Amino acid sequence: MSEGIRLTTGHLMRATFELLGNNRGAATLCFLLLFAVQGASSLVFYLTETPNSWQTGNYRIEWSELWWLAIIVWVIALAVVTALSILILLKSAHTRSFAAEGDGALLVAKGTVVYVITTIGIILGLIALIIPGLILLSRWIAAVPLALRQDISIRSAISRSYNGTRGSTFAIGVCLVIFYLPSFLFSAIDFSFGTAPDLEIAIMLFMESGVLSITDLLAAALSVVVCLALAGERSELTDVFA
């Protein structure tokens, strides 16, 4: 069985930041898209954790009752924006065989489906014993950008990402831990908004959204880097992979 590509953590980190640095306009657009989703979701989740309610006529809705609906909408919205961001980065990198002459909406829809499928698998892995989830997160890192190719199916994209990253699972995992660590640390802080002024709450939500958006952008860029490595398209990152 093939061991897939072999990349080091240093190469992946350098390539990720180089990709974003060489395409600052695209990176900024992706960040703003991600920030819009994360900002809106942070506000909604905050509302669902409060005893507030909304009433129209004789119908009353408790915000807390909308928590699961908010989770579902957030995952779908994040999946769409992540797929769109990866497509933007792929096009900005001027790759030869990715997202070429394709219907953008269909490609994003395809990437969204892959994102949702892999996310469900990763969550189940994390619930199981944590480690399986982390491994799947690393092995499926390139599934979405691979799915944005017109000539590859959803199943093939997931399978190719899993098999192709076999030799670089640890290196990819280290990069992801580094990228996600600030978000984990930020989320681990116990913010008590019960008696906090509205301005303080707004600042905290703004900061949280910014940290999460940067993390998502770095992960999206890393997925593109790994995807390029799998396809042998390293022209944009020649010095890094040399």
Side-chain angles (χ1 to χ4, degrees):
M1 183 177 291
S2 174
E3 293 186 355
I5 57 174
R6 285 189 175 278
L7 301 169
T8 68
T9 300
H11 286 163
L12 290 171
M13 293 285 286
R14 288 175 53 200
T16 297
F17 285 104
E18 183 177 307
L19 177 63
L20 294 174
N22 290 345
N23 303 280
R24 293 184 181 87
T28 301
L29 175 59
C30 293
F31 171 79
L32 293 176
L33 290 171
L34 292 165
F35 184 78
V37 171
Q38 294 290 14
S41 63
S42 294
L43 177 60
V44 171
F45 288 142
Y46 167 70
L47 290 174
T48 60
E49 293 173 358
T50 65
N52 297 331
S53 62
W54 177 70
Q55 183 168 351
T56 174
N58 296 324
Y59 192 67
R60 180 187 180 89
I61 298 177
E62 296 290 340
W63 282 113
S64 57
E65 297 175 356
L66 301 177
W67 192 83
W68 281 108
L69 177 61
I71 287 288
I72 294 173
V73 173
W74 170 63
V75 170
I76 295 176
L78 185 59
V80 172
V81 172
T82 299
L84 178 58
S85 298
I86 291 174
L87 180 60
I88 292 172
L89 291 174
L90 282 171
K91 285 182 174 291
S92 298
H94 305 296
T95 58
R96 296 187 299 277
S97 60
F98 289 91
E101 306 299 329
D103 186 323
L106 291 177
L107 290 173
V108 171
K110 187 179 178 183
T112 299
V113 172
V114 173
Y115 182 95
V116 172
I117 292 174
T118 54
T119 297
I120 292 174
I122 291 168
I123 291 175
L124 292 177
L126 291 173
I127 293 175
L129 290 170
I130 298 180
I131 299 301
L134 296 177
I135 292 175
L136 289 177
L137 179 61
S138 301
R139 297 289 288 274
W140 283 341
I141 185 68
V144 173
L146 282 172
L148 296 178
R149 294 185 66 175
Q150 290 182 285
D151 60 343
I152 188 170
S153 67
I154 291 175
R155 181 177 179 180
S156 296
I158 297 175
S159 175
R160 184 175 179 185
S161 177
Y162 184 85
N163 294 325
T165 55
R166 187 180 305 277
S168 301
T169 303
F170 181 77
I172 295 172
V174 172
C175 290
L176 289 172
V177 169
I178 293 174
F179 292 159
Y180 280 104
L181 186 59
S183 295
F184 289 148
L185 293 176
F186 197 92
S187 299
I189 299 176
D190 183 20
F191 292 113
S192 177
F193 293 118
T195 58
D198 291 341
L199 178 59
E200 181 177 335
I201 294 174
I203 293 175
M204 288 301 179
L205 291 177
F206 181 84
M207 291 174 57
E208 180 182 20
S209 300
V211 172
L212 290 173
S213 300
I214 293 174
T215 297
D216 291 338
L217 177 60
L218 290 171
L222 176 63
S223 73
V224 172
V225 168
V226 176
C227 185
L228 294 177
L230 284 173
E233 295 191 27
R234 304 179 179 181
S235 58
E236 289 289 312
L237 310 162
T238 302
D239 292 339
V240 176
F241 286 114

